[in-house]
Amino acid sequence: MQYLDNYLQSKGGYDYTNVKRNELMKAQGFKEMPFTKTGTTIVGVIFEGGVVMAADTRATAGSIVADKNCEKLHPLAPNIWAAGAGTAADLHHQCAHFNAKLKLQRLNLNRQSRVNEVITKLTTKLFPYRGHIGVALIIGGIDSNGPQLASVSPHGNYVYHPFQSMGSGSLAALGILEAKFQDGLTKQQAIDLAIEAIEAGIFHDMGSGSNVDVVAITKEGVDYRRNIRQYNAKSHQKQIPYHFPANNTPALRKYEFNFEKQELREIGKEMEIIE
Amino acid sequence: MYIPVNDMLKHFKQDAPAMANITHKSDQWSPYHDNSGTVLAVGIPGAVIVAGDTRLSNGYNILSRDATKLSQLTDKCVLATAGQYADFIALRKFLQQRLQLYEFQNEVQASTETVAHLLSRELYSRRFFPYYTFNLLAGLDENNHGVVYGYDAIGSYDQMTYGVQGSGQELVVAVLDNQLKGYNKINKTIPQTREEILDIILDCFSCAAERDIHTGDNVEILIITAAGTERIVKPLRKD
């Protein structure tokens, strides 16, 4: 059956040798690094004449909050924004990449970008990576086909629906959206609904928290409100402030660097660690 | 040309052995749940201060915003537990019943040292199916000085001046090392009064709630002195 081997090899298709390599590495004891994921609650809502998207602002690395006020709403084009959940680095780089790609396309074709273009480009990029690029996006914009809202999953699946939510807090937000969404909302009603949905995620999902960001896209333009709502101020102000007087930290060794002579020399004796 | 389908499949399976034989180890049932949260205890001459947040969680969900992690076992000592809530309840029930029996038989409440030893033996009795609990036993000793005993899951314990357990442990313990023991300070100015220490404890919880997703909602503080027990509850972040 050698000819079959050669045939299939030349045909191409997916190469899974890296999977074997990863398994071997894991067996040898390489620990997978924890990515900064964004936990997250993001929502999108279509209203009469546009689309509004909202997100919380907490980024987590495991169970620690890595960023208390990160930005999850990314512009892809003047008329298209993306809200992202998943691995923070992937989101940032993928959105920047597609922003640039779309801009280049607009310069070449002299036409406004469309949401379905973004979806196609995104899904054709994500699918071959089998979900390893951890981006779960809600893409919203207004183009020649009217207001559009779609969500894209890390494996490359997409769904168009008048309201969407993604992220660890998506179920909390979806409860609010399913109960309160109607067709023909006004811009302000849609913003209020989106904020309420994110609030549900912030208070009932521990992967989401801090503040709410909102962006509303209409034919007139983009209305981006960073931190439109801020809850959860730090609960305790210390009555007696911490006092760290100068020269109170024991040094094990002290060095002096002379810039003119460009030399480093040790001054002072080694001090013991004081407990 | 005609290639039998089964032969084709065999080749793909050879090319991707990992994909064909994926075992989902994560699906295996575990008897343990980490309900998380943070507890801490500080002993000073004349009193002991025990604090715990009141959030009960499971993964990313909040099960309760109002669940106590502290349990007063005798007039002089309190058990503070982080870890699995069900095991905390079972452990608490055992200790309460056993200490009640002790009081009936000896006509006096057990001392903190006795309770500490009892807790250690009970935890070790479950050496091969442990209580998923990370305990602090805080109380007043025979001279009414505050003492804290810290435990691991199977009962190894030691006396300390202060202890922290739970999901916010790493965030808080370094602050207490610096403030209550003067680590990395030449002139150590260690707070002596109750107000100063309460201030530090509240700040530690507030900071832990900022950066640990499992800590929040409220912090419950018990102050045990020879005169009695005082309870304070302060709000924390709810997100």
Side-chain angles (χ1 to χ4, degrees):
Chain A
M1 298 296 262
Q2 184 63 39
Y3 74 95
L4 246 175
D5 282 326
N6 293 337
Y7 170 76
L8 288 168
Q9 196 111 24
S10 62
K11 207 163 159 274
Y14 296 119
D15 178 14
Y16 289 106
T17 47
N18 272 348
V19 178
K20 272 189 230 161
R21 177 207 69 180
N22 290 345
E23 304 242 306
L24 274 172
M25 284 176 76
K26 230 182 194 168
Q28 281 170 10
F30 280 92
K31 237 179 36 160
E32 256 189 84
M33 277 197 299
F35 306 114
T36 304
K37 303 196 102 212
T38 52
T40 304
T41 311
I42 48 175
V43 301
V45 178
I46 287 197
F47 61 90
E48 198 64 49
V51 60
V52 74
M53 295 199 292
D56 74 305
T57 61
R58 174 181 282 184
T60 52
S63 70
I64 301 290
V65 176
D67 192 341
K68 293 190 265 191
N69 203 8
C70 74
E71 287 185 37
K72 303 190 188 182
L73 294 170
H74 311 272
L76 296 180
N79 57 327
I80 305 175
W81 279 60
T87 310
D90 286 338
L91 282 167
H92 178 253
H93 284 277
Q94 295 301 318
C95 286
H97 172 81
F98 284 108
N99 188 324
K101 201 166 179 179
L102 287 174
K103 183 159 192 187
L104 205 56
Q105 192 183 43
R106 284 200 301 279
L107 289 169
N108 275 323
L109 302 181
N110 200 21
R111 271 167 185 56
Q112 197 190 45
S113 299
R114 295 185 189 181
V115 171
N116 53 20
E117 282 171 13
V118 179
I119 302 296
T120 314
K121 288 177 173 28
L122 258 175
T123 52
T124 47
K125 167 126 195 221
L126 291 176
F127 180 70
Y129 285 90
R130 312 297 289 171
H132 287 292
I133 297 186
V135 298
L137 294 158
I138 297 181
I139 314 284
I142 188 152
D143 57 24
S144 49
N145 297 324
Q148 313 250 307
L149 184 67
S151 68
V152 178
S153 86
H155 283 268
N157 174 51
Y158 65 92
V159 167
Y160 280 86
H161 200 63
F163 58 90
Q164 305 271 10
S165 73
M166 300 283 268
S168 59
S170 62
L171 292 173
L174 211 51
I176 302 288
L177 291 174
E178 287 285 0
K180 298 194 176 181
F181 177 82
Q182 322 167 15
D183 286 318
L185 290 168
T186 65
K187 177 175 165 184
Q188 191 53 49
Q189 285 174 330
I191 289 178
D192 291 338
L193 177 59
I195 291 176
E196 221 182 308
I198 298 290
E199 258 179 44
I202 285 176
F203 288 107
H204 300 284
D205 170 46
M206 296 192 296
S208 317
S210 298
N211 316 311
V212 185
D213 292 346
V214 161
V215 66
I217 309 169
T218 54
K219 258 212 291 261
E220 286 76 52
V222 167
D223 190 7
Y224 175 49
R225 311 275 192 82
R226 169 88 169 131
N227 291 350
I228 190 174
R229 291 278 189 280
Q230 293 181 312
Y231 320 95
N232 306 306
K234 194 150 174 259
S235 46
H236 179 74
Q237 269 302 106
K238 201 157 184 301
Q239 308 292 326
I240 308 151
Y242 288 111
H243 183 53
F244 292 104
N247 298 320
N248 202 27
T249 308
L252 289 177
R253 271 181 267 251
K254 284 191 179 169
Y255 295 92
E256 181 191 65
F257 183 72
N258 192 315
F259 275 100
E260 279 132 49
K261 294 187 201 158
Q262 287 284 297
E263 65 179 24
L264 182 73
R265 66 187 185 92
E266 191 165 337
I267 55 167
K269 279 190 297 205
E270 181 177 327
M271 295 164 77
E272 293 166 30
I273 299 175
I274 300 171
E275 301 235 338
Chain B
M1 82 184 141
Y2 175 64
I3 300 171
V5 174
N6 289 337
D7 285 349
M8 266 291 242
L9 282 174
K10 186 172 68 179
H11 269 272
F12 273 97
K13 278 200 175 147
Q14 267 182 350
D15 274 343
M19 303 307 277
N21 299 331
I22 289 176
T23 47
H24 294 281
K25 288 216 170 72
S26 56
D27 284 336
Q28 206 195 3
W29 179 81
S30 163
Y32 293 117
H33 284 102
D34 187 4
N35 297 119
S36 313
T38 311
V39 290
L40 72 80
V42 180
I44 55 180
V48 71
I49 304 172
V50 200
D53 73 319
T54 59
R55 173 177 284 177
L56 207 63
S57 41
N58 189 3
Y60 278 135
N61 302 312
I62 298 178
L63 299 176
S64 171
R65 297 192 195 269
D66 199 18
T68 178
K69 293 187 177 64
L70 312 179
S71 165
Q72 180 135 28
L73 298 174
T74 67
D75 287 342
K76 284 189 173 180
C77 82
V78 169
L79 175 71
T81 306
Q84 183 167 345
Y85 206 69
D87 280 352
F88 163 59
I89 291 179
L91 192 59
R92 180 179 70 182
K93 190 172 187 184
F94 166 81
L95 288 170
Q96 281 173 341
Q97 291 175 341
R98 187 62 188 83
L99 289 170
Q100 198 173 50
L101 191 62
Y102 182 102
E103 200 177 333
F104 290 157
Q105 290 176 339
N106 299 289
E107 294 181 23
V108 73
Q109 283 196 332
S111 67
T112 302
E113 197 182 339
T114 307
V115 179
H117 190 63
L118 172 66
L119 176 56
S120 170
R121 290 178 70 235
E122 173 58 16
L123 290 172
Y124 197 79
S125 75
R126 289 273 296 261
R127 172 65 178 86
F128 297 108
F129 183 13
Y131 287 100
Y132 192 104
T133 52
F134 301 96
N135 299 293
L136 292 170
L137 188 79
L140 300 171
D141 65 7
E142 300 301 334
N143 306 318
N144 283 335
H145 283 300
V147 294
V148 175
Y149 296 92
Y151 295 77
D152 70 354
I154 50 175
S156 157
Y157 75 110
D158 196 16
Q159 188 174 333
M160 0 195 248
T161 35
Y162 59 89
V164 193
Q165 293 279 18
S167 54
Q169 180 180 26
E170 293 87 7
L171 293 166
V172 170
V173 78
V175 177
L176 292 185
D177 283 344
N178 178 264
Q179 293 295 308
L180 298 183
K181 263 222 174 112
Y183 273 29
N184 300 316
K185 283 184 178 179
I186 297 175
N187 295 320
K188 305 171 204 294
T189 43
I190 295 175
Q192 306 291 345
T193 67
R194 190 189 111 140
E195 283 63 38
E196 283 174 295
I197 294 188
L198 269 178
D199 200 21
I200 292 174
I201 290 178
L202 282 171
D203 199 46
C204 283
F205 268 96
S206 158
C207 296
E210 292 279 312
R211 289 289 176 172
D212 175 31
I213 62 176
H214 297 294
T215 304
D217 292 328
N218 294 302
V219 55
E220 181 190 4
I221 306 177
L222 288 179
I223 306 165
I224 321 289
T225 56
T229 307
E230 190 188 330
R231 182 169 180 265
I232 302 172
V233 177
K234 293 272 182 193
L236 291 175
R237 285 179 76 117
K238 297 198 170 1
D239 63 359

